[in-house]
Amino acid sequence: EVQLVESGGGLVQPGRSLRLSCAASGFTFDEYAMHWVRQAPGKGLEWVSGMSWNSGHIHYAGSVKGRFTISRDNAKNSLYLQMDSLRPEDTAFYFCAKDLFDIFTGLDSWGQGTLVTVSS
Amino acid sequence: EIVMTQSPATLSVSPGERATLSCRASQSVAINVAWYQQKPGQAPRLLISAASTRATGIPARFSGSGSGTEFTLTISSLQSEDFAVYYCQQYNTWPPITFGQGTRLEIK
């Protein structure tokens, strides 16, 4: 069974940094692209960033480009999101999601999310 | 950026009836569209990929159709557990991958 468990969320002041982690199990992690998707409370889904299986494709939403950095450690079956220069509008639940394939397609498994609150 | 527009924003349907949800892309995305269901307090769940391919474990009452710019998710006979928010997503042209704003399916 595929499991994705996010951690690292919390309350942070504007301008500060936070690093999210996603621990993956139940599938061959290094064969699939992985993504971060966020959802502000009561709002819709927003794709944040994605990384192909071999890190050959790394992309970001315009709203986070230059501030967020996605990375993966295939040896540890883990995905990360380094979030710098956080803004109040970054407040959201952040979901880790597995792609159907090794490149960007549909997202067939999701974690339960970790809440990031950016506020002074 | 490709904009995905879902309609209606809210759909009221009685249990046992058919629900039809629409999604329009701002430019052609071929068949590179997925549909998701999200219930309160839960993560989204993949229903359909490649416009019409049901994901593993998804009941046959869920079906997807369309290509180019017009897509439809149909739920043939609504069950109580189907009332939720539904999102479409395109993955034809990225970055970014984009989602529609969602359709809330509520009990009539």
Side-chain angles (χ1 to χ4, degrees):
Chain A
E1 178 192 3
V2 172
Q3 282 201 316
L4 299 169
V5 180
E6 303 94 338
S7 60
L11 175 63
V12 61
Q13 293 180 327
R16 303 298 291 265
S17 299
L18 209 58
R19 188 192 195 211
L20 305 184
S21 299
C22 172
S25 61
F27 65 102
T28 305
F29 183 74
D30 62 7
E31 292 184 354
Y32 295 91
M34 296 294 296
H35 303 262
W36 289 98
V37 177
R38 69 184 180 184
Q39 185 172 38
K43 302 298 184 182
L45 300 172
E46 180 187 17
W47 177 83
V48 173
S49 180
M51 172 178 272
S52 61
W53 68 281
N54 64 351
S55 307
H57 288 275
I58 298 175
H59 295 290
Y60 300 92
S63 57
V64 307
K65 195 170 186 178
R67 300 188 298 122
F68 289 12
T69 304
I70 190 173
S71 62
R72 64 191 294 164
D73 185 336
N74 288 342
K76 294 184 178 180
N77 290 348
S78 293
L79 181 72
Y80 306 99
L81 186 67
Q82 177 67 39
M83 303 186 294
D84 298 324
S85 303
L86 282 161
R87 304 168 180 168
E89 55 265 36
D90 295 320
T91 294
F93 288 93
Y94 285 73
F95 296 99
C96 166
K98 169 188 167 292
D99 205 287
L100 275 164
F101 298 104
D102 56 0
I103 195 62
F104 297 177
T105 61
L107 309 181
D108 69 341
S109 296
W110 298 62
Q112 281 306 300
T114 187
L115 178 61
V116 173
T117 303
V118 184
S119 175
S120 53
Chain B
E1 173 176 325
I2 294 178
V3 177
M4 304 295 282
T5 303
Q6 292 186 241
S7 60
T10 303
L11 182 62
S12 300
V13 182
S14 300
E17 294 191 339
R18 173 187 298 255
T20 302
L21 290 68
S22 297
C23 179
R24 173 175 291 178
S26 60
Q27 63 189 75
S28 178
V29 294
I31 60 166
N32 296 312
V33 165
W35 288 91
Y36 301 85
Q37 176 193 70
Q38 188 179 31
K39 297 179 181 179
Q42 296 185 16
R45 177 174 70 146
L46 177 68
L47 300 174
I48 301 282
S49 65
S52 62
T53 302
R54 273 192 304 278
T56 302
I58 301 303
R61 65 180 181 271
F62 290 91
S63 63
S65 63
S67 65
T69 61
E70 301 286 341
F71 300 88
T72 300
L73 174 70
T74 301
I75 311 171
S76 60
S77 178
L78 278 165
Q79 307 296 303
S80 57
E81 61 266 29
D82 299 335
F83 293 95
V85 178
Y86 292 82
Y87 295 93
C88 61
Q89 172 226 334
Q90 70 81 22
Y91 51 88
N92 187 71
T93 302
W94 41 262
I97 287 172
T98 49
F99 291 90
Q101 80 279 19
T103 291
R104 180 177 304 277
L105 180 58
E106 63 177 29
I107 301 175
K108 187 173 183 180

